[in-house]
Amino acid sequence: LALAGGPAFASLDRARAATPEPCWVVALGDCAADGGVFKGSYAVEGGVAAALPVDLLIPGCPPAPAQILEALLALVEANA
């Protein structure tokens, strides 16, 4: 599990390359997806998809715990 924001955003590709398989990129919440309410701000580069291909996008601000579990289980089952 890797959580990144700010300057760490630029190193996500190295973290992904160093992670053994199975490895999935999950954008959790609106801010991770596209910047959320901060979209368009000079301090926001955009969503995680700008740096990495996203395997799972879970929308919400914040997403409900049940929604997170359902999405993660669906991802694991789809890749089993």
Side-chain angles (χ1 to χ4, degrees):
L1 173 65
L3 301 174
F9 189 77
S11 64
L12 284 177
D13 57 339
R14 289 185 305 195
R16 170 62 180 95
T19 305
E21 294 295 334
C23 178
W24 301 299
V25 176
V26 178
L28 182 61
D30 293 341
C31 288
D34 65 2
V37 297
F38 305 103
K39 185 177 184 178
S41 167
Y42 70 90
V44 176
E45 289 202 26
V48 70
L52 296 171
V54 175
D55 298 302
L56 178 63
L57 171 64
I58 305 173
C61 187
Q67 186 181 7
I68 297 169
L69 288 174
E70 285 177 21
L72 290 174
L73 286 172
L75 178 65
V76 170
E77 289 173 0
N79 290 286

